[in-house]
Amino acid sequence: MIFLDAAATTPVRREVLEAMWPYLTGEFGNPSSRHSLGDAAATALAAARTASAKVLGCRPGEVIFTSGGTEADNLAVKGIALARRAADPRLDRVVISAVEHPAVEESARYLERVHGFAVDVVPVDACGRVTEEALAAVLWPGTALVSIMYANNEVGTVQPIARLAALAHAQGTPFHTDAVQAAGWLPLDTAVLGVDALSVSGHKLGAPKGNGALFVRGRTRLEPVIHGGGQERGRRSGTENVAGAVALATALTLAAASQGDRASHVAALRDDFIRAVRAGVPGAVLTGHPSERLPSVASFCFPGTSGESVLLELERLGVICSSGSACAAGSDEPSPVLRAMGIEDDIAQAAVRFSFDSTVTAAELQEAAAAVRTAVGSVQALGSTHPG
Ligand code: PLP
């Protein structure tokens, strides 16, 4: 099997498992307990926080461990917007981009539905990029928060985060970025990016599912979303997932150590793969930005097919990838991300995403490109329509 769905999740790295193992077994203490087992857990948690902060270019106290990217996004969007409006009732708008992950988009919609905020959606261009002009057009004095993702999960387009954050700051508005897909591939130094909040998730990086972190810059107001015993300095209650935090910190540290080299190596493989797919399937449409894209993502629409049918055919041929359309939850609606990029529905429902981790080889990608040609050819020959 050739696994080309690393943007969905990755296997746990051996080094990560070894680092977290003691905190699942012998050193199983609760960091809040006042005995030696608790102290050992608290020490491990503090070390994980320090290591994560090093990768994120921030202070340890600015890292909040969460149950994953979804929780980090919820805490950033709801927590910052609600805290700012509590301090100034005129701050009752939030800005998100048209291509956000549901963790951000639904958090903003919750603020609208339950708390009466207005949500301003910045459009993207045909490559999935937010321009500075587009952001400037939706920034109001009442904007409490801007949340724009670092890199898109469906098409891999990378946003000019530092420039967009600077624009928000020019009018005193904090900026959050969902860096779940960017982590491991792009620099995560929050000081260089100039962001006030940034979300990461462990399972995209070789840590287990169910752990992540939110960086929140020291001076930023934050209303907690989960209430309880006051862990994480009152910003995220609940007994800390010590092993998860150790896993995340280890995965972030390992990824950061090799980031530049890995990114250029995988980007070169990705470009060869894109060329091979286009040569094999002349009508293939590459979606997303031609150059400002994650090294790890190649996404296409194959007109005359449905993404789901190509996906099934590819799996039969031993290649695992993901369809770009949101067929989950019984919907056969084409992806809102592709729609936002102006791609027609009949093309958008023919979307397939290939995403790689660093272990992918040129031989695997060559084999996969040949499988794509066969799969698309047989789906087109069947005159398949979208199964829904
Ligand atoms: N944000 C983006 C861009 C994602 O791709 C994902 C997961 O696919 C998430 C957030 C959610 O992260 P998690 O699965 O850790 O909840």
Side-chain angles (χ1 to χ4, degrees), residues 180-353:
V180 167
Q181 291 293 339
W185 298 109
L186 303 175
L188 288 183
D189 188 324
T190 55
V192 174
L193 290 169
V195 296
D196 304 284
L198 177 144
S199 310
V200 292
S201 169
H203 73 103
K204 314 286 183 183
L205 289 170
K209 294 158 192 62
N211 65 81
L214 177 68
F215 151 78
V216 181
R217 196 172 295 289
R219 61 176 182 275
T220 315
R221 289 174 195 271
L222 187 74
E223 182 63 36
V225 168
I226 297 179
H227 303 94
Q231 289 90 344
E232 299 291 280
R233 291 186 173 178
R235 294 167 301 177
R236 196 276 184 183
S237 287
T239 302
E240 301 89 338
N241 178 358
V242 179
V246 169
L248 177 69
T250 307
L252 279 172
T253 305
L254 288 169
S258 61
Q259 184 247 316
D261 290 346
R262 262 184 319 106
S264 33
H265 170 69
V266 174
L269 294 177
R270 174 205 63 196
D271 290 342
D272 288 345
F273 177 70
I274 290 173
R275 271 191 291 275
V277 168
R278 281 176 149 167
V281 183
V285 179
L286 180 73
T287 53
H289 199 281
S291 56
E292 298 301 314
R293 62 186 304 133
L294 285 173
S296 50
V297 173
S299 50
F300 297 92
C301 292
F302 298 115
T305 71
S306 82
E308 288 295 302
S309 313
V310 173
L311 191 74
L312 291 174
E313 196 56 24
L314 278 171
E315 180 157 14
R316 216 179 51 76
L317 296 168
V319 177
I320 304 276
C321 56
S322 147
S323 102
S325 66
C327 280
S331 152
D332 63 355
E333 286 285 296
S335 141
V337 170
L338 298 178
R339 271 192 170 160
M341 291 163 55
I343 296 177
E344 298 292 336
D345 283 1
D346 60 327
I347 308 277
Q349 58 83 32
V352 179
R353 176 190 70 186

Side-chain angles (χ1 to χ4, degrees), residues 7-8 67-71 73 100-104 149 151-154 178-182 199-204 209-212 353:
S67 66
T70 298
E71 188 192 324
D73 285 344
E100 295 303 311
H101 186 275
V104 164
M149 71 198 328
N152 184 263
N153 46 301
E154 289 185 36
D178 173 342
V180 167
Q181 291 293 339
S199 310
V200 292
S201 169
H203 73 103
K204 314 286 183 183
K209 294 158 192 62
N211 65 81
R353 176 190 70 186

Side-chain angles (χ1 to χ4, degrees), residues 33-54:
S33 297
R34 291 167 190 259
H35 48 60
S36 56
L37 264 184
D39 288 347
T43 303
L45 190 64
R49 204 181 303 283
T50 302
S52 304
K54 199 167 166 214

Side-chain angles (χ1 to χ4, degrees), residues 19 35 56 65 70 78 92 124 132 145 178 215 249 269 317 336:
H35 48 60
L56 300 176
F65 289 116
T70 298
K78 298 175 187 172
D92 62 355
V124 294
E132 286 159 83
L145 174 72
D178 173 342
F215 151 78
L269 294 177
L317 296 168

Side-chain angles (χ1 to χ4, degrees), residues 94-110:
V94 291
V95 169
I96 59 170
S97 85
V99 293
E100 295 303 311
H101 186 275
V104 164
E105 145 121 70
E106 291 303 320
S107 294
R109 295 297 168 200
Y110 162 84

